[in-house]
Amino acid sequence: MSDIPFNENINDFGTERYVNGLIKFIEKSSAPITIALQGEWGSGKTSLMTRLKRELCSLPDSSFIGISINTWEYSMMSAPETTVYKILAQLVKELTNEDHQSQKTFSNFLRGAGNFLYRGARGSLKTIPGIGGMLAIGLEAANVPTQIMADSEDNQIASLAELRTAIENSIKKRIAEEHKQGVIIFIDDLDRLNPPVAVEILELLKNVFTLENCIFVLAIDYDVVVKGLEPKYGKLTDTNEREFRSFFDKIIQVPFSLPVNSYRPMDFVLNALVEIGFLREIETGDPKIKEKFAKIVELSVGKNPRSIKRLINTLSLLDCIAQCGEESSNNILGVESAKNTLLEKQLNFIVVAIQICYPKIYRLLTHNPAFITWDKTFAHKEGLSLDETTEYHWEDIIDAACSTDKYLTQHTTDIIELMSMIEDILSELNQSIETGLKQVLDKSSVTGINATTPLKEFDKKSLIYHLHNNVVNRIRELRPDITHYQLKRNTGNGGIYIWYEEDASIDVVFTPSTNSKGQITLRLWLDIHVSRPERMKGLTFEDIIKDECLAKSLADFDSVLTPLLDKSLWYFEGRIHEGRQTYFPSYTEELHYMHEMGWMPDDITDNPKYWINLDKPSLFRDPQIVDVVAKVLIANYDFRKSMKNWK
């Protein structure tokens, strides 16, 4: 299934009345007016825009001239100022239909455009071929026709009002010649641009293109506008929200949020499953089957069209692979097999849905398919933070795995319900969870986007044994005052308790494994968690860090960690949060981000994780590596000790 936008009524997920209502509204609107189509990634903004253009501009009796601008295309390989110039020039070209007088006015306007758009852009003006003449404007790419006719009036500069008047005259002439009601300009993919650039384009549209007979339809979400305005207004808060909203309302007269909650995707899903051979058409008429598959869709891809298509495509690919196997007739993924019961199909559907929507949970399943046996040992092996004094079940492990990810946190109950469905299905099939689930996981692994390198065989117990002894000896050398400690039992994982009070200790965990590059990696799970005292409930991190004791303790901790997190130290790295390309250069900055994301309403600090990546287990005995581990543990010890009486 292609990801090109839907343009058929059969694929509209039951949104006919919304689309038809919007079409009717546009037909009756007084221009100029700007409409924003809002919705999350993959929710169907481009599909809706495609349908609007077809109904309003492309049919023989359509009342409007349609112009489409894909901003993403103009931003490719371009600096921000170049992107804005490209879009401006292309819009003028499309709107004026190469009208000579309008082009002349536009060329004069561009002579002074450096003051209107980007002052710095004028220094890089280049002469490139375009529409009939040569004019130096701030564009880097020569593949977009943006040059306007230049004449002997080289020093003339047109005002913004003169430019608008010239464009409006061209539009009036064009719609009169073509017997149309007006022009609709469709601006797509604004939310794929860097948010500040998207905001610049919105301002451009407001200042230049408030034109008679023109309706703008923009695909942009309010959240993108918020991010783009942060350099101007700061982070969105309750006190400045009105400023953000006022900017949006000034430019957008009509916000149209895609009615995702009203989408009815199951007819589309079931038809697609029949088309790829996953279900038989007779089966889709069974209300129980509809209910089962609808539940799985609801708990995973939901009503997002792009995610649904990706799920269907993944199932189709796995089926093709299964049918080409030597034992395809006995393969759960071979949908033509008579042995593929509906329960097996449901099981496969759930596993692929988890793989598509919740890859972190899918990876946990590949590490240990018998998820009902997951416990604290498994959690620590996976780097999950759990209270040592409490017994945990697999549901708690899922909760811990989701807790550091905002999206997963919102879907924790959905994931648990999907896993429970797996348990029920395998019980009905009289298969053990480990055996039955592993078979499906093995088959689906080829479509994972985070496939990991097979574990390199090495002696984990030997690595931990030497690390324990060497690190303790180094701590003794560096800090003779630290005397009360206990090494953890060596099970292939390890760690250490270090007491800073008679009844209080830090609990550091060592977890060796291999990473995606095939290196041996040692995860250091530190014990730095501090809960918020009552006096700091509801405060921002900026307010919290004003506390002198906390600020000094964090600064002392970072004095050890920051040099290690420098990119020049190739073997040491921190945690990379979703949406970032790299880890934070200090623990304090990571904390600031986590508070900003709203992940720590009851805590000041969490238990951070750091990794040491080396090519061979023996390198963990190197004095430099032992020294690093010892100093990190001492920094952890000093932090907790300095905060012991903090309230």
Side-chain angles (χ1 to χ4, degrees):
M1 300 182 67
S2 171
D3 194 37
I4 48 178
F6 289 151
N7 58 14
E8 298 292 335
N9 290 347
I10 193 173
N11 288 335
D12 63 12
F13 285 19
T15 60
E16 295 93 340
R17 69 188 182 99
Y18 297 100
V19 176
N20 292 335
L22 185 55
I23 290 170
K24 188 173 184 180
F25 173 84
I26 292 173
E27 288 175 332
K28 294 187 174 184
S29 291
S30 298
I33 192 170
T34 303
I35 301 168
L37 307 182
Q38 301 183 86
E40 66 175 8
W41 170 91
S43 59
K45 296 188 294 295
T46 301
S47 294
L48 175 55
M49 194 171 279
T50 301
R51 287 196 59 195
L52 292 175
K53 186 176 182 183
R54 184 192 65 186
E55 297 293 332
L56 291 165
C57 309
S58 302
L59 300 178
D61 58 346
S62 295
S63 301
F64 294 91
I65 297 167
I67 295 173
S68 295
I69 301 289
N70 187 311
T71 57
W72 179 250
E73 294 178 4
Y74 293 98
S75 69
M76 298 292 285
M77 307 294 290
S78 300
E81 63 270 17
T82 304
T83 299
V84 177
Y85 273 114
K86 282 182 178 181
I87 293 170
L88 171 63
Q90 188 65 20
L91 270 171
V92 172
K93 174 179 177 289
E94 295 281 357
L95 286 169
T96 60
N97 201 27
E98 303 190 13
D99 175 71
H100 175 80
Q101 184 59 43
S102 296
Q103 292 172 10
K104 177 181 174 182
T105 304
F106 182 47
S107 69
N108 293 335
F109 169 75
L110 284 174
R111 288 190 178 93
N115 296 323
F116 174 69
L117 295 174
Y118 289 90
R119 295 178 184 273
R122 302 186 73 186
S124 62
L125 300 184
K126 295 182 182 290
T127 300
I128 55 177
I131 308 168
M134 304 294 286
L135 176 69
I137 62 174
L139 295 174
E140 297 294 333
N143 61 333
V144 178
T146 56
Q147 300 303 27
I148 310 298
M149 182 83 68
D151 56 21
S152 59
E153 299 174 337
D154 290 333
N155 296 320
Q156 236 179 22
I157 294 177
S159 69
L160 189 59
E162 290 172 325
L163 175 62
R164 276 200 294 262
T165 300
I167 296 174
E168 284 179 343
N169 289 337
S170 292
I171 292 171
K172 287 177 183 177
K173 179 182 176 182
R174 185 176 176 185
I175 61 178
E177 291 173 347
E178 299 184 29
H179 306 290
K180 299 293 184 181
Q181 178 181 331
V183 178
I184 303 178
I185 302 97
F186 299 92
I187 309 288
D188 198 8
D189 277 341
L190 278 168
D191 48 9
R192 292 181 67 182
L193 301 180
N194 190 18
V197 178
V199 167
E200 289 286 352
I201 292 170
L202 288 178
E203 290 182 313
L204 171 74
L205 296 177
K206 180 64 178 178
N207 287 300
V208 181
F209 297 108
T210 304
L211 305 169
E212 291 183 22
N213 304 304
C214 284
I215 297 173
F216 277 84
V217 179
L218 316 177
I220 188 167
D221 204 30
Y222 178 61
D223 289 342
V224 175
V225 176
V226 168
K227 291 178 182 176
L229 289 173
E230 284 178 354
K232 183 176 182 180
Y233 297 135
K235 293 292 183 182
L236 178 65
T237 65
D238 291 338
T239 57
N240 66 3
E241 198 275 339
R242 183 176 178 81
E243 294 173 315
F244 287 88
R245 181 61 65 180
S246 295
F247 177 92
F248 188 79
D249 292 346
K250 183 179 179 180
I251 294 174
I252 307 298
Q253 286 76 58
V254 184
F256 179 88
S257 295
L258 272 74
V260 177
N261 289 334
S262 299
Y263 283 3
R264 299 193 302 272
M266 282 315 297
D267 286 345
F268 171 76
V269 171
L270 292 173
N271 288 338
L273 291 176
V274 170
E275 286 181 16
I276 68 170
F278 190 82
L279 291 177
R280 292 182 295 128
E281 189 169 5
I282 189 67
E283 293 172 333
T284 63
D286 187 333
K288 291 182 179 179
I289 295 176
K290 284 185 177 180
E291 182 181 353
K292 286 285 187 183
F293 280 89
K295 189 65 177 177
I296 298 167
V297 169
E298 176 190 344
L299 297 172
S300 56
V301 291
K303 298 178 179 181
N304 186 295
R306 182 169 291 149
S307 296
I308 290 171
K309 286 194 272 188
R310 188 174 173 210
L311 173 59
I312 300 298
N313 283 337
T314 303
L315 285 166
S316 182
L317 171 59
L318 293 173
D319 175 44
C320 290
I321 293 171
Q323 292 185 40
C324 293
E326 293 180 2
E327 299 178 359
S328 61
S329 60
N330 296 318
N331 193 316
I332 286 181
L333 296 175
V335 296
E336 296 299 328
S337 170
K339 293 189 177 183
N340 290 330
T341 67
L342 280 171
L343 286 174
E344 290 170 333
K345 292 175 182 178
Q346 289 171 30
L347 175 63
N348 183 47
F349 195 71
I350 294 171
V351 170
V352 175
I354 291 174
Q355 182 188 43
I356 294 293
C357 299
Y358 313 118
K360 184 176 182 179
I361 306 304
Y362 178 84
R363 287 195 298 273
L364 292 179
L365 287 171
T366 61
H367 295 168
N368 182 359
F371 62 87
I372 61 172
T373 67
W374 289 356
D375 56 13
K376 286 185 292 187
T377 301
F378 176 74
H380 283 311
K381 182 179 179 182
E382 296 298 325
L384 303 177
S385 175
L386 295 175
D387 184 348
E388 289 289 331
T389 62
T390 307
E391 287 299 322
Y392 283 88
H393 300 288
W394 66 266
E395 294 93 340
D396 302 305
I397 310 300
I398 294 291
D399 188 64
C402 295
S403 63
T404 58
D405 184 297
K406 185 177 180 181
Y407 177 79
L408 290 180
T409 300
Q410 295 171 342
H411 293 275
T412 301
T413 55
D414 296 337
I415 295 168
I416 290 174
E417 190 167 350
L418 286 170
M419 304 276 274
S420 297
M421 291 174 72
I422 291 175
E423 186 178 7
D424 293 342
I425 290 171
L426 288 170
S427 176
E428 286 192 59
L429 291 171
N430 293 317
Q431 294 184 23
S432 71
I433 288 183
E434 182 171 16
T435 303
L437 188 54
K438 188 176 187 304
Q439 183 181 8
V440 181
L441 290 167
D442 287 344
K443 304 293 188 296
S444 65
S445 62
V446 296
T447 54
I449 60 171
N450 291 301
T452 56
T453 303
L455 288 178
K456 182 183 289 186
E457 293 296 327
F458 68 98
D459 190 339
K460 294 183 181 180
K461 289 188 176 182
S462 175
L463 188 155
I464 292 297
Y465 172 79
H466 291 287
L467 189 67
H468 276 172
N469 292 333
N470 293 335
V471 167
V472 167
N473 289 334
R474 183 57 179 153
I475 291 175
R476 285 173 178 165
E477 294 172 0
L478 295 171
R479 291 287 294 274
D481 58 301
I482 300 176
T483 58
H484 189 182
Y485 61 86
Q486 178 183 331
L487 294 171
K488 294 192 172 185
R489 186 166 61 93
N490 185 353
T491 61
N493 296 320
I496 187 171
Y497 300 100
I498 306 177
W499 276 262
Y500 56 89
E501 289 283 305
E502 290 232 359
D503 59 347
S505 65
I506 66 169
D507 172 8
V508 177
V509 180
F510 302 151
T511 306
S513 61
T514 57
N515 62 20
S516 59
K517 298 177 182 178
Q519 295 174 305
I520 308 299
T521 183
L522 178 74
R523 183 184 59 82
L524 303 176
W525 183 85
L526 305 184
D527 185 1
I528 299 185
H529 174 258
V530 176
S531 299
R532 287 190 186 223
E534 198 61 37
R535 64 188 174 88
M536 290 191 168
K537 296 287 186 181
L539 295 183
T540 64
F541 186 72
E542 287 82 357
D543 292 328
I544 292 170
I545 200 67
K546 293 175 183 177
D547 182 278
E548 291 183 8
C549 178
L550 175 63
K552 184 179 185 309
S553 297
L554 284 174
D556 290 344
F557 182 71
D558 274 335
S559 69
V560 175
L561 265 294
T562 298
L564 299 176
L565 291 168
D566 189 295
K567 292 182 181 179
S568 62
L569 194 63
W570 56 271
Y571 57 80
F572 194 95
E573 65 180 27
R575 178 169 53 182
I576 298 176
H577 293 266
E578 186 170 347
R580 288 181 57 84
Q581 298 302 312
T582 186
Y583 47 84
F584 290 90
S586 72
Y587 179 58
T588 302
E589 291 187 43
E590 183 178 359
L591 274 180
H592 186 281
Y593 176 79
M594 295 170 71
H595 280 272
E596 189 178 70
M597 297 300 291
W599 297 339
M600 303 184 68
D602 301 316
D603 302 305
I604 298 294
T605 58
D606 76 331
N607 293 325
K609 294 179 278 291
Y610 299 99
W611 287 263
I612 297 175
N613 307 300
L614 300 169
D615 292 329
K616 296 186 294 185
S618 60
L619 293 176
F620 286 92
R621 305 180 202 176
D622 186 279
Q624 181 180 348
I625 303 302
V626 172
D627 185 69
V628 165
V629 176
K631 287 179 178 176
V632 170
L633 267 58
I634 291 171
N636 189 166
Y637 169 90
D638 287 340
F639 177 86
R640 288 298 297 273
K641 187 173 183 179
S642 68
M643 298 289 290
K644 65 181 180 181
N645 296 320
W646 188 73
K647 299 293 183 184

